Amino acid sequence: MYYLLGTDIGTSGTKTVLMDTDGNLIAQDLQEYDVLTPKPLWAEQWPDVWLQAATLSIKNTVQKSGIRKEKIYGIAISGLYGGSGIPLDENMEPVRPCMIWMDRRAEQEAEWVLDHIGEETLLEITHNGADPYYGFTKILWMKHHEPENWEKTKLFLPPNDYVIYKLTGKIAIDYSSAGNIGGIFDMNHRTWSKEMMAALGIPMSMMPENIVESTDIVGGLTKQAAAELGLSEGMPVIASGIDCGAANIGLGVFESGIYAAAIGTSMCAALISDKPIKGKNLIVWPYLYDAKKLSYYFAGGATAGAIVKWFRQTMCQFEIEAEKHGGKNTYDLLNEQAANIPVGSEGLIVLPYFMGERSPIWDSDAKGTIVGLSLAHTKAHIYRAFLEAVAFSLRDAMEATGENLGESILIAGGVTKSKLWRQIFADVTGYPVVCPVHDVEANMGDVMLAGIGTGLLSYEDVKKWQVLDKKIMPNKQNHEKYNAYYNVYKSIYHHLKTDMKTLSTIS
């Protein structure tokens, strides 16, 4: 039996798993950390936090497994969408924190691009629009607002590719990470766009020259890295890519026409397709498998699991303290209480726009909102309304895709731990929901990519792995009730949009 590692560098933590080539989970380790938010709508992280977490999670997983290093044949490393990418100087040291996907400071840069280059040109070349979400607008923000850092920067590298560089000494970027920068990536030819980079004033030298498939071996572990991790020198390190795409791979999605949502801190709800999907509201980049043919078309909430984590940290101090002293898990307790609340939380609607919103509404000024509160409502009502809000956001993303999404949808991520939430997703969308057996989707995808990249596994091998659980069927009566609430959810945003903009201006 041979073994493979999969490491996923997420927004709030880095997890590593070790699996055998039959798809059995042997060991895992999670290292958590926080996002820096120095100003409203700013979100950044120092890359050394990612490197330290990845190193420790890999090392701990290997030690926990008890597997001899000679039996471990490769590792693939996926990562959060690093926005601008890490700005690195001539010595490959970080110049400043990385402005991650959640950061929305580049509003003026996005407007400048639309005014001077035009949305039609952008869509034709990159298949994406201009918004603070995209990495190229964050790069322009740094150029305009931090000229000293801009002068020092020689290369931008995504989080997982930075860690891979530190472990192997090799520089590369996978197709999904390159495409997700938007603006400067030509989706038609799957390479950097000289035309767009010239128009934006971003030197070609600032982007990695070596663009690779997610199954490609970037390099082998250096002697120093191998010793630190407890692995063999020269062990192959595979590129992988954006974590939500890796999660889809972990769900067994290797072909066109499947709709899957990866819901963690944020939500990426995507249709994998080999045919173009028209519409400026979607985000698109090359998929992590067959990247020159398949594309990942997604919409979804900038904050999904993040708002539930916020609710726990902000509203549940008593429950958290009780949990510390041996009480029930706070999330389990909240889910039990919310399960007793009727569909629609007895007239509560939450807009989950706690960090503005990307696709499909593209509004940096969108605000988190609770509508319908009365003295009869309890904490359980509000918590359930938060869960329903994320499900409404998923339905909005699905409708924005405007395509045949199949007979069921796949959902991966931490939200699948909640039986209640899984049922809410089915009831709100009206689709049967299928979730993974294990909560290691991106890591599972990394292991699959590592297996294919090293040649230990084939596409046919990993398709045989039993990764999916039973279907969760929607309740028809609940779905009808949710239809009415969903219409109100959509209406509230449109009625409050102008006031939200005003709030941003005066604050």
Side-chain angles (χ1 to χ4, degrees):
M1 182 63 68
Y2 300 107
Y3 301 88
L4 296 159
L5 289 159
T7 296
D8 177 52
I9 302 165
T11 304
S12 57
T14 291
K15 181 190 284 187
T16 296
V17 305
L18 185 142
M19 304 181 74
D20 64 27
T21 49
D22 286 335
N24 298 306
L25 179 63
I26 308 300
Q28 60 181 303
D29 186 77
L30 172 66
Q31 299 293 319
E32 296 183 289
Y33 39 75
D34 294 316
V35 175
L36 302 175
T37 53
K39 293 184 180 182
L41 300 183
W42 287 29
E44 54 190 34
Q45 289 172 303
W46 279 104
D48 285 347
V49 173
W50 295 324
L51 178 61
Q52 291 166 9
T55 300
L56 194 55
S57 70
I58 296 169
K59 180 179 179 180
N60 288 350
T61 300
V62 172
Q63 289 179 346
K64 290 176 182 179
S65 73
I67 303 297
R68 290 189 295 113
K69 63 182 181 181
E70 293 82 8
K71 288 282 190 178
I72 304 174
Y73 272 69
I75 182 172
I77 303 176
S78 60
L80 71 156
Y81 170 38
S84 64
I86 303 160
L88 300 167
D89 64 19
E90 59 186 7
N91 298 315
M92 295 296 286
E93 294 298 325
V95 171
R96 70 175 319 282
C98 177
M99 292 176 276
I100 65 171
W101 60 272
M102 193 186 292
D103 190 289
R104 299 196 61 82
R105 75 185 71 180
E107 188 72 41
Q108 291 182 349
E109 282 68 27
E111 292 176 1
W112 182 91
V113 171
L114 292 174
D115 290 341
H116 290 79
I117 294 175
E119 189 172 54
E120 185 176 339
T121 299
L122 267 179
L123 289 172
E124 182 179 342
I125 297 174
T126 73
H127 298 192
N128 289 287
D131 184 85
Y133 163 80
Y134 291 107
F136 80 99
T137 65
K138 296 175 172 68
I139 292 172
L140 291 178
W141 184 93
M142 179 178 160
K143 181 180 181 181
H144 296 158
H145 294 270
E146 298 179 349
E148 292 183 3
N149 285 335
W150 178 259
E151 195 66 29
K152 295 176 187 175
T153 300
K154 303 303 178 185
L155 183 71
F156 287 93
L157 207 56
N160 64 314
D161 295 312
Y162 172 75
V163 172
I164 290 173
Y165 164 75
K166 287 293 187 179
L167 298 181
T168 66
K170 304 294 183 181
I171 298 173
I173 187 171
D174 72 281
Y175 282 101
S176 71
S177 298
N180 209 5
I181 293 173
I184 56 174
F185 188 81
D186 187 333
M187 278 293 294
N188 300 306
H189 300 97
R190 297 304 208 250
T191 190
W192 303 118
S193 170
K194 293 180 181 179
E195 177 185 346
M196 292 303 302
M197 295 184 89
L200 295 169
I202 299 173
M204 184 73 71
S205 60
M206 284 187 167
M207 294 297 123
E209 182 179 354
N210 187 21
I211 306 177
V212 300
E213 290 271 5
S214 294
T215 52
D216 283 348
I217 297 173
V218 177
L221 289 178
T222 64
K223 183 177 181 179
Q224 179 180 346
E228 187 170 6
L229 299 175
L231 294 167
S232 301
E233 181 181 354
M235 189 194 77
V237 180
I238 288 82
S240 191
I242 299 294
D243 55 2
C244 53
N248 280 22
I249 295 290
L251 292 170
V253 180
F254 288 90
E255 58 275 325
S256 179
I258 299 176
Y259 195 86
I263 310 178
T265 302
S266 67
M267 175 170 62
C268 299
L271 181 68
I272 311 307
S273 180
D274 57 4
K275 299 179 180 64
I277 298 177
K278 301 297 183 182
K280 64 182 181 180
N281 288 334
L282 298 178
I283 301 165
V284 57
W285 34 265
Y287 191 48
L288 274 71
Y289 185 77
D290 202 3
K292 293 182 180 179
K293 179 182 177 183
L294 296 177
S295 295
Y296 182 94
Y297 292 89
F298 90 92
T303 52
I307 68 170
V308 176
K309 182 178 180 180
W310 175 88
F311 184 93
R312 175 185 180 273
Q313 292 175 332
T314 308
M315 306 292 186
C316 303
Q317 294 305 310
F318 175 81
E319 291 85 352
I320 291 172
E321 283 301 313
E323 181 182 340
K324 289 178 181 178
H325 292 87
K328 184 169 289 190
N329 176 277
T330 302
Y331 286 123
D332 290 343
L333 182 60
L334 289 170
N335 281 317
E336 285 181 11
Q337 295 171 348
N340 296 319
I341 304 299
V343 164
S345 304
E346 294 192 298
L348 280 187
I349 297 283
V350 171
L351 301 186
Y353 308 141
F354 279 51
M355 285 291 287
E357 188 56 293
R358 54 190 184 190
S359 179
I361 68 170
W362 294 114
D363 186 356
S364 296
D365 297 313
K367 310 294 182 189
T369 310
I370 304 176
V371 176
L373 280 170
S374 73
L375 293 178
H377 288 116
T378 65
K379 184 185 294 186
H381 285 86
I382 302 172
Y383 180 73
R384 182 178 179 112
F386 270 63
L387 302 185
E388 292 172 337
V390 179
F392 290 145
S393 179
L394 172 59
R395 179 168 169 176
D396 200 11
M398 294 169 66
E399 292 180 358
T401 306
E403 295 283 331
N404 179 9
L405 306 182
E407 296 180 356
S408 61
I409 57 174
L410 307 181
I411 296 182
V415 301
T416 63
K417 295 177 182 178
S418 167
K419 182 179 179 182
L420 171 64
W421 212 349
R422 295 197 301 265
Q423 188 64 54
I424 289 174
F425 281 119
D427 292 348
V428 167
T429 64
Y431 277 78
V433 166
V434 184
C435 299
V437 175
H438 301 292
D439 178 30
V440 291
E441 302 81 27
N443 299 96
M444 176 82 77
D446 291 328
V447 168
M448 290 176 173
L449 294 169
I452 295 171
T454 57
L456 278 180
L457 296 170
S458 67
Y459 162 80
E460 288 75 19
D461 291 331
V462 297
K463 284 293 287 182
K464 295 175 184 176
W465 289 8
Q466 297 298 313
V467 298
L468 298 178
D469 213 336
K470 296 178 181 179
K471 284 184 181 179
I472 299 157
M473 302 303 295
N475 180 300
K476 291 183 180 180
Q477 289 182 330
N478 288 349
H479 179 60
E480 290 177 3
K481 293 177 182 177
Y482 274 131
N483 284 339
Y485 279 105
Y486 176 68
N487 290 333
V488 177
Y489 166 87
K490 296 273 285 185
S491 176
I492 288 171
Y493 166 69
H494 290 292
H495 281 102
L496 294 180
K497 184 176 181 179
T498 301
D499 291 329
M500 291 174 173
K501 177 75 172 178
T502 302
L503 276 176
S504 293
T505 302
I506 65 178
S507 64

